[in-house]
Structures are given as C-alpha cells and as structure tokens.
Amino acid sequence: MGMIIQMVGTGNAFAKKYDNNNALIEAGGYRLLLDCGITLPKALHQTGLTFNDLDAILISHIHGDHVGGLEELAFQMLFKYGRKPTLYIVDRIIEPLWEQTLRGGLTQGPLQTLDDFFEVRKLQAGQETQIAPGISVLPIETKHIVNKKSYSFLFNRNFFYSADMRFDGELLQRLVDEGVETIYHDCQLEIPAVVHAGIDELMTLPSGIQQKTWLMHYGDTMEQFVGKTGEMRFVEQLKRYEV
C-alpha cells in the first residue's frame, strides 16, 4: 500500500461544518500531520487520535487555519506527554511562525524559543527531503498573500498538495508533465477569488489535469456545487485515500 491521506478537515478559514483544511498523511505506520489549524485539536480528537499519536507536523504557512492549533499541541506535548514533537517547516517561515504567531502564548519562564517546544527540522524550498520511508516532500513556494511566504508540497514526486495558493495553471501543467498523478487543490467556490484558486479558474484547466484534481479547502456551501465542477471531484472529510 502506498501513502494514505485523510483530511481531518476540508473547509476554508471560515468553515464551521467541515473544519479547517488539515490532513493526516501515513505510510508504513508513520503519521504526519499536515498543518494544524484552529479547529484541528477538536477535529483530531473526533478521529480518536491524540497529539501523541503523531510522528511529526508539517506546516505550509502561518495563517490561523493552518497553525492556530499549534499552541495547544505544544502545551499538550510538553505537559501531558512530556516530549517535544517534531516540526517540519521551511526555513523562511520559522521566524514568522515564532515571532508573529506563537511567541506571545507559549513563552513562560525558561521556555523562550521555538526549539524549547519543538524538534525543528528545517526544510528548504525546492529541495526534496525524505521524512520517513514512503514519504518524501518537496516544498514549492506558491503565491498566496503578498509578502507572506506560503508553500505547497510535492509528495513522492507524484502527489501535489496546494495548501493555499492562487491559480497557477502553468505550474499544474508542468507538474503533470513531470509525473504528478494526483492533485489536491484548495478551491474558493464564491467568486471572484483573490488569494485562492477560484472554481471558475480551475474549470479552465485541460481535461487531463481536471481528471487528476481533487478539490479541498472549500466553504460550507460545497453541496450546492456537487456535479458542477467539471471533471474535478471534492475530497471528503475523514475519508482515507491512497495516493
């Protein structure tokens, strides 16, 4: 069996029904959490898992729906489970994550740095890293918010996970040309889209790319769009997919 992905949440930043767009990736018994948003602690609990069941966390960018649950994760791991979790993160967003997001809530006494709470494993954009047997990741810098670094991920050279990004048809075509078989793409259903790919933009993709594309990071009105997304399909929350 290859790599398995299970979306703990499939919703956008404001989703109440589907939770924030965060995922579990598994291979050979290794469990990687991809992003840790505001709703992740509760959503993970509802799967029957705890933070201690995770082998590592991978972060794409510092918006709250992708990192808002890290404070609870860090405190639970330190005070409840007595260990530092492994955090994979592109080097360019380590300082912003700590200084702009986590420092105010986490610092206390001698605990004053990100390394006091996490075993930080630095990644570099454009450089592939083997995280575990069956899981390699290549961070790709993609456009999202001006002056805020954001990274999408190419796993095992055949699975592209967009995290959050504006529409980039040229990138998707190049990835498919280079062997990508499955694309999980964030999708804004209410148009016009500004900082995400809009459904109208994604509908312009060639048939061959649409057939490989699964839509995630959608709003709570998703059901109204079922059957109206061309050859693309919606990823279902909590369903396990082999990629």
Side-chain angles (χ1 to χ4, degrees), residues 92-104:
R92 298 292 298 275
I93 59 173
I94 292 175
E95 182 177 1
L97 175 66
W98 178 249
E99 294 293 340
Q100 300 175 24
T101 303
L102 295 178
R103 181 178 181 180

Side-chain angles (χ1 to χ4, degrees), residues 11-188:
N12 61 22
F14 308 135
K16 301 298 181 287
K17 183 175 182 179
Y18 295 110
D19 297 314
N20 295 152
N21 197 81
N22 303 163
L24 290 171
I25 290 177
E26 301 177 36
Y30 189 94
R31 187 178 286 124
L32 174 71
L33 176 66
L34 178 41
D35 284 333
C36 183
I38 296 167
T39 66
L40 185 279
K42 182 179 180 181
L44 184 68
H45 173 74
Q46 291 173 337
T47 70
L49 297 174
T50 70
F51 290 131
N52 201 40
D53 294 316
L54 306 174
D55 292 291
I57 307 101
L58 171 64
I59 295 301
S60 63
H61 64 293
I62 66 170
H63 278 149
D65 56 322
H66 295 262
V67 297
L70 281 177
E71 180 178 309
E72 180 177 344
L73 186 155
F75 278 141
Q76 277 208 35
M77 292 305 298
L78 179 63
F79 296 118
K80 186 175 181 178
Y81 299 110
R83 69 177 178 91
K84 291 195 290 186
T86 299
L87 176 67
Y88 285 94
I89 181 171
V90 177
D91 52 4
R92 298 292 298 275
I93 59 173
I94 292 175
E95 182 177 1
L97 175 66
W98 178 249
E99 294 293 340
Q100 300 175 24
T101 303
L102 295 178
R103 181 178 181 180
L106 283 180
T107 52
Q108 54 184 283
L111 305 172
Q112 294 292 321
T113 70
L114 188 66
D115 294 293
D116 290 328
F117 294 93
F118 296 95
E119 295 290 347
V120 179
R121 300 286 184 266
K122 297 179 182 179
L123 303 175
Q124 291 186 349
Q127 181 174 312
E128 187 175 23
T129 298
Q130 188 79 26
I131 288 181
I135 305 177
S136 69
V137 62
L138 179 100
I140 300 172
E141 184 173 348
T142 44
K143 294 181 179 180
H144 181 34
I145 302 292
V146 176
N147 296 325
K148 283 184 180 290
K149 296 290 184 181
S150 185
Y151 299 90
S152 299
F153 300 109
L154 178 60
F155 289 97
N156 298 342
R157 301 190 181 185
N158 63 9
F159 171 52
F160 179 69
Y161 184 100
S162 75
D164 288 3
M165 63 177 273
R166 287 180 254 167
F167 181 70
D168 189 342
E170 291 184 4
L171 172 62
L172 298 178
Q173 183 66 65
R174 176 171 61 81
L175 290 169
V176 169
D177 290 344
E178 293 174 354
V180 166
E181 292 293 334
T182 306
I183 297 168
Y184 273 31
H185 209 298
D186 56 308
C187 175
Q188 183 169 322

